[in-house]
């Protein structure tokens, strides 16, 4: 099985690649080749049991998706995207990469034609939903994104469903919860603080909380994200039917509950490193975001989280990123 | 007020233009100029109380929308589209006109910038919904189109909402029911028979019914369509909020109920001109179509139908198209 990962140098992409290299297989299929692509050159994985081609460049340029598809990958993980804050600040860039790029990729696959029909896993987002919401958003709630990013992801979902219905590809769109704790440096996502208020204090640093503690949101660990991707890449898609875009399971928690979990897992002193500095731009964006879901379909289809509580989310970060230790 | 109509030579476009020319105003505003555009040259209206420019060409070509917007119309009615059957048969054409064309138009408006923020009325469709459905589709039901046409209309709606939220335009998307009775020649829409089984018999001709009599669907007269467009073009959009796409009111009727209405209004002999010839392509498409709605929002926002029953729909056709007479 040949796997192509777009956005392979990103946070989720790197963890997915590490996982696939460690497993040597995707579901029951043995991996025989992997192609990694990102505008930031992806790292060449060490000790892979199969050839890994590493490419860099902008995928959202006419002709590039065709080249990426030229090796006829069996599974395409499409993770390349401009995040919410940046897509909101740079209208053209967001539409060019998130909408045009995604469509060019799907078209490159479509235009191969014949019997070529790869599994395509597209990372959508809960930003496809916009307030006001019911208490828990069900699987049939409508898409009224309140950001250009969410609009672009919704359009990606629609294209994925139509191209799949037409028989051009075998698509699965997975709406990732906000991935928490996001390791590494803060990125331009407006959701960055959800991780920042945990990650920075655990590293002995101060963190800014730009919203109030009653803000509720939908979270999953990076481990869960990789699990979702692997399942979407290897599951029997006949069970999904035509509604190919699925809200992933997650944990609903308020910022206050996040901080309480941090206190339980790491102590009061760590939690005291969070400084409250309301930011109207972030407050405004987050006000329109989903808080809670009832993701029956994805649970029935076998998607599962790696964590049972927000405490687990913090422990996973300490284990996977900090070698089991944090700055008390 | 300067009004631009795209798709002005189409069935709904012609009726809209006739109505606007007759009224001389849109809502409370006096019409001072009108520009009509279509790939089929629109007819120059007679006796208009204002200058009417008539243009023809393909609007979905780079540079054309800019020219159409150069006169800075205050209201744009965007009705130009490839219908469902054709978009399904010609993938590239459907996406090029319904998606790219719509986006180019919105971008042309966006790129004018400054204080230019026209009202844009976009004719979407109930094909943005796909089965399985609840008994009556509510205003928060999700979009899972089962046709490329519905996918393209949904994407148009999403763009309209995002461009409006961003302040580039003042958009209203109206999901028209199937317009019945469609006058003139049959078109390539898969929904064509819903009108054909009434229009042809009323004209003394045979009509083919390609589906079974229990097929339920959502209908409105051409008069209602013009009423919806006029209201969308003149209403106070502040009342709509960010959810800019609205399902229009209509009448839910089965094909059997349509035929019963035909018998009541025109007699058994007319209804006997309907021949049953099941067509699997049409049956398949129609199986995924909406049957009934609960369009609370549009009703609250002042959208109203011109008819109270399916009998009225038939009578409106006899009055407006047949000069009050049909072939008994
Ligand atoms: N992390 C989250 O909380 C979250 C939540 C919902 C959805 N998602 C989606 O999951 C995917 C992965 O998320 P992530 O957190 O790893 O994001 P990330 O920003 O860390 O990774 C995205 C990668 O895409 C690459 N990229 C962007 N534009 C590109 C282009 N034009 N050509 C080639 N590469 C390009 C970036 O360089 C980056 O490495 C994204 O599609 C994101 O929208 C993430
Ligand atoms: N009639 C219905 O039952 C119905 C239902 C739901 C939605 N709609 C929508 O309402 C609108 C009007 O419907 P209608 O029944 O009048 O359709 P129609 O086919 O009669 O009119 C559409 C017009 O658009 C024009 N057009 C198509 N491509 C063009 C292009 N590239 N450049 C310029 N003009 C182009 C056609 O020439 C045609 O005159 C359409 O957008 C349609 O999708 C109609």
């Amino acid at each position: 099985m040949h796997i192509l990962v777009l956005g392979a140098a990103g946070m989720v992409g790197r963890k997915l690649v590490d996982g696939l290299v460690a497993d040597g297989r995707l579901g029951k299929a043995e991996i025989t080749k992997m192609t990694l692509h990102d505008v930031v050159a992806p790292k060449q994985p060490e000790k892979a049991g199969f050839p890994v081609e590493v490419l860099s460049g902008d995928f959202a340029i006419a002709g590039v998706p065709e080249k990426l598809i030229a090796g006829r990958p069996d599974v395409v993980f499409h993770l390349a995207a401009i995040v919410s804050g940046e897509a909101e600040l740079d209208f053209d860039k967001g539409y060019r990469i998130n909408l045009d790029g995604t469509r060019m990729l799907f078209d490159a696959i479509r235009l191969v034609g014949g019997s070529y029909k790869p599994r395509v896993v597209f990372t959508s987002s809960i930003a496809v939903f916009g307030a006001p919401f019911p208490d828990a958003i069900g699987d049939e709630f409508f898409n009224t994104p309140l950001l250009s990013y969410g609009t672009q992801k919704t359009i990606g979902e629609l294209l994925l469903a139509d191209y799949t219905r037409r028989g051009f590809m075998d698509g699965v769109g997975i709406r990732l919860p906000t991935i928490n704790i996001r390791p590494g440096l803060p990125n331009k996502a407006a959701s960055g603080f959800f991780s920042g208020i945990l990650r920075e204090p655990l590293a002995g640093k101060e963190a800014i909380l730009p919203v109030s503690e009653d803000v509720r949101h939908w979270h999953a660990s990076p481990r869960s994200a990789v699990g979702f991707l692997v399942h979407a890449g290897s599951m029997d898609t006949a069970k999904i039917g035509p509604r190919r875009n699925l809200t992933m399971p997650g944990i609903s928690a308020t910022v206050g509950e996040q901080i309480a979990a941090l206190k339980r897992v790491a102590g009061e002193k760590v939690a005291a490193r969070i400084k409250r500095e309301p930011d109207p731009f972030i407050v405004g964006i987050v006000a329109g975001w989903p808080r809670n879901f009832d993701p029956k379909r994805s649970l029935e289809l076998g998607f599962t989280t790696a964590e049972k509580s927000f405490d687990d989310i913090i422990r996973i970060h300490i284990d996977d990123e900090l070698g089991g230790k944090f700055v008390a």
Side-chain angles (χ1 to χ4, degrees), chain A:
Chain A
M1 170 175 279
H2 175 188
I3 296 175
L4 168 66
V5 183
L6 297 189
M11 186 270 282
V12 176
R14 283 194 311 268
K15 291 189 174 285
L16 172 66
V17 170
D18 288 351
L20 293 174
V21 165
D23 292 350
R25 42 184 61 248
L26 175 65
K28 289 189 188 131
E30 198 187 323
I31 303 173
T32 52
K33 187 180 169 187
M34 210 148 84
T35 306
L36 309 181
H37 180 272
D38 201 295
V39 68
V40 177
K43 226 176 78 227
Q44 179 75 44
E46 285 162 31
K47 292 184 257 172
F50 44 78
V52 181
E53 189 181 14
V54 171
L55 304 168
S56 68
D58 185 339
F59 86 104
I61 288 181
V64 174
E66 284 79 353
K67 286 190 194 129
L68 292 171
I69 293 301
R72 303 288 180 267
D74 304 292
V75 179
V76 178
F77 289 103
H78 172 32
L79 280 62
I82 289 303
V83 294
S84 54
E86 192 170 1
E88 199 58 18
L89 295 173
D90 190 337
F91 184 90
D92 288 296
K93 190 173 179 187
Y95 273 92
R96 186 181 74 74
I97 295 173
N98 295 348
L99 169 50
D100 294 325
T102 298
R103 188 167 166 214
M104 279 183 216
L105 174 68
F106 293 176
D107 273 332
I109 292 167
R110 169 172 76 91
L111 293 169
V112 171
S115 65
Y116 183 59
K117 199 173 153 178
R119 173 71 48 92
V120 177
V121 180
F122 172 60
T123 45
S124 186
S125 160
I126 54 175
V128 299
F129 300 104
F133 300 119
D135 269 355
I137 300 175
D139 287 324
E140 301 195 340
F141 192 66
F142 70 158
N143 295 143
T144 53
L146 292 174
L147 288 179
S148 294
Y149 170 79
T151 302
Q152 294 146 10
K153 289 287 189 187
T154 310
I155 295 174
E157 290 190 3
L158 285 158
L159 294 173
L160 175 130
D162 198 42
Y163 282 51
T164 296
R165 183 186 64 81
R166 287 266 187 164
F168 304 140
M169 60 192 215
D170 179 19
V172 185
I174 60 174
R175 297 181 192 124
L176 295 179
T178 290
I179 303 306
N180 203 334
I181 297 174
R182 186 182 177 87
L185 296 174
N187 73 351
K188 288 186 195 172
S191 55
F193 72 87
F194 285 118
S195 283
I197 57 167
L198 306 169
R199 183 189 58 235
E200 302 305 315
L202 287 168
K205 296 184 213 154
E206 278 197 357
I208 305 288
L209 173 60
V211 302
S212 71
E213 288 204 11
D214 59 1
V215 166
R216 179 175 285 286
H217 198 57
W218 187 244
H219 305 272
S221 69
R223 263 194 218 169
S224 292
V226 172
F228 299 152
L229 285 161
V230 165
H231 188 58
S234 56
M235 72 185 292
D236 175 6
T237 51
K239 290 186 190 137
I240 308 184
R243 295 174 172 181
R244 287 289 176 136
N245 297 288
L246 301 164
T247 299
M248 292 293 106
I251 286 181
S252 177
T254 64
V255 169
E257 287 164 1
Q258 288 189 250
I259 296 173
L262 183 65
K263 287 181 185 165
R264 280 193 298 273
V265 175
E268 294 279 346
K269 217 179 123 195
V270 171
R273 293 177 191 136
I274 301 168
K275 304 291 157 216
R276 276 114 185 120
E277 279 182 26
D279 175 335
F281 178 69
I282 305 282
V283 168
I285 288 186
V286 170
W289 279 1
R291 297 178 293 261
N292 191 17
F293 288 87
D294 180 17
K296 279 202 190 72
R297 288 193 70 216
S298 64
L299 290 169
E300 276 166 20
L301 287 163
F303 289 91
T304 47
T305 50
E307 54 275 350
K308 299 244 170 303
S309 67
F310 213 95
D311 300 41
D312 286 349
I313 286 186
I314 297 172
R315 284 190 204 105
I316 286 174
H317 179 76
I318 296 171
D319 285 355
D320 289 1
E321 307 294 334
L322 306 177
K325 287 184 297 245
F326 59 87
V327 182

